[in-house]
Amino acid sequence: MMKKKTLMTISAGILTTSLLTGGAVTTFAANPSESLEQEEKNEVKPFFEVMDQQGYELEEKSLENYIQQLAKHEGKTYEEVATEIFEETKKIHAKYSDRPIYNNLLENSIPDTNNAIPLTNVTNTYSVTPSATDPSIQALANVDFLMKKTDVLVKNYASVTYGVDTVIYNSGSFREVVSVDAGTAFVLPSGSGTHTWLNGYQTASKASSTTVTFRATGNLEYAVSKSISAGFSAAGFSLSSTSGNTVTYRKFHQIAHTFSLY
């Protein structure tokens, strides 16, 4: 990890109107009304309820590993990516709080005020799993999130899971997308027999302050028993080959999904 001696602190009230992510500019309103209206509209449901309703999951992972991974994918240093995440987060944080925060992702970055809070306390601040004894209590978690969803193609026999690593600002009821690492986008088939994702292309990006888009195209191949072949035919798979009691089915498959935080 590269060291940074320069003090990096967020002053209260800082807000810029746009941010650059993955080569695309996302425009923010000059005030937090857009996010607040979105929360009002959706009755500010807890994060885990939103995920259940929309049918996706968040898997907690190491935020430091996320930064190292993104730095490798983009040809940058750990310090550069950690600083970018900090800069994006401070613009979001300023909408909802007057308290300054500092970049504790870098060594020797020390707050200059007593009430400053660390960056990792507002990026993925709360675990998505509520306490077993009290659902209103959620544990602090210095993590990034693998955002993933599973679609069933043939009931009991074929499914496809897809997702991408993200960093999410999550403080109280406020949630916004901070970063998306397109290099981690994946498609993983599962089910009966032998299954493969062939010639696949997958990517993901931050579409708005509260959404992540996922896109993929490729060929799904399943080698299964003849006894369950009817389900594959009905799901749009084409017979590719037959060998004894095993039949191989293929299907050109496209995924176009939007993950939403509200």
Side-chain angles (χ1 to χ4, degrees):
M1 181 188 301
M2 297 184 68
K3 296 185 178 180
K4 178 71 173 178
K5 294 184 179 180
T6 305
L7 176 65
M8 305 181 70
T9 307
I10 302 176
S11 58
I14 293 176
L15 178 64
T16 55
T17 57
S18 66
L19 73 93
L20 189 63
T21 304
V25 175
T26 301
T27 301
F28 287 111
N31 57 63
S33 61
E34 183 184 71
S35 294
L36 294 174
E37 286 173 6
Q38 184 67 43
E39 286 186 69
E40 235 177 73
K41 182 180 178 181
N42 292 279
E43 300 176 349
V44 199
K45 293 186 177 70
F47 208 168
F48 58 91
E49 284 188 17
V50 172
M51 291 186 294
D52 284 345
Q53 287 182 349
Q54 296 185 25
Y56 72 87
E57 303 174 60
L58 293 182
E59 179 183 322
E60 295 178 356
K61 301 178 71 177
S62 164
L63 182 55
E64 287 193 359
N65 287 347
Y66 175 92
I67 295 170
Q68 292 170 352
Q69 189 172 250
L70 183 56
K72 182 178 180 180
H73 291 158
E74 296 188 348
K76 299 177 180 178
T77 65
Y78 178 96
E79 182 182 54
E80 287 172 329
V81 173
T83 300
E84 289 172 359
I85 289 176
F86 174 72
E87 293 298 327
E88 299 297 344
T89 303
K90 78 178 181 181
K91 288 184 284 190
I92 298 171
H93 180 71
K95 298 179 184 181
Y96 310 113
S97 175
D98 290 330
R99 289 189 65 184
I101 62 176
Y102 65 96
N103 192 355
N104 65 322
L105 294 173
L106 298 175
E107 294 182 17
N108 299 324
S109 177
I110 306 170
D112 60 356
T113 62
N114 291 330
N115 69 335
I117 56 178
L119 168 66
T120 54
N121 269 27
V122 293
T123 51
N124 308 323
T125 300
Y126 300 101
S127 167
V128 298
T129 305
S131 164
T133 55
D134 186 351
S136 68
I137 298 174
Q138 296 173 304
L140 288 173
N142 179 13
V143 296
D144 76 288
F145 284 136
L146 168 60
M147 187 174 275
K148 61 182 180 179
K149 187 176 189 296
T150 299
D151 292 338
V152 175
L153 305 179
V154 181
K155 187 177 180 180
N156 299 324
Y157 301 127
S159 298
V160 61
T161 299
Y162 50 92
V164 66
D165 283 345
T166 65
V167 176
I168 300 169
Y169 177 92
N170 183 20
S171 183
S173 61
F174 303 111
R175 303 187 283 270
E176 290 197 23
V177 179
V178 175
S179 176
V180 176
D181 183 1
T184 64
F186 73 92
V187 176
L188 183 66
S190 61
S192 298
T194 303
H195 29 270
T196 312
W197 174 247
L198 300 168
N199 303 316
Y201 167 78
Q202 51 276 328
T203 190
S205 63
K206 176 178 176 177
S208 73
S209 60
T210 59
T211 58
V212 173
T213 57
F214 185 96
R215 300 288 183 269
T217 58
N219 291 291
L220 286 169
E221 182 176 277
Y222 277 79
V224 298
S225 168
K226 285 183 178 179
S227 62
I228 62 172
S229 62
F232 285 83
S233 296
F237 283 81
S238 299
L239 181 63
S240 175
S241 65
T242 301
S243 178
N245 194 44
T246 300
V247 289
T248 300
Y249 282 92
R250 276 194 179 188
K251 178 184 180 182
F252 176 72
H253 191 63
Q254 293 181 305
I255 300 170
H257 182 74
T258 299
F259 294 94
S260 178
L261 303 185
Y262 287 96

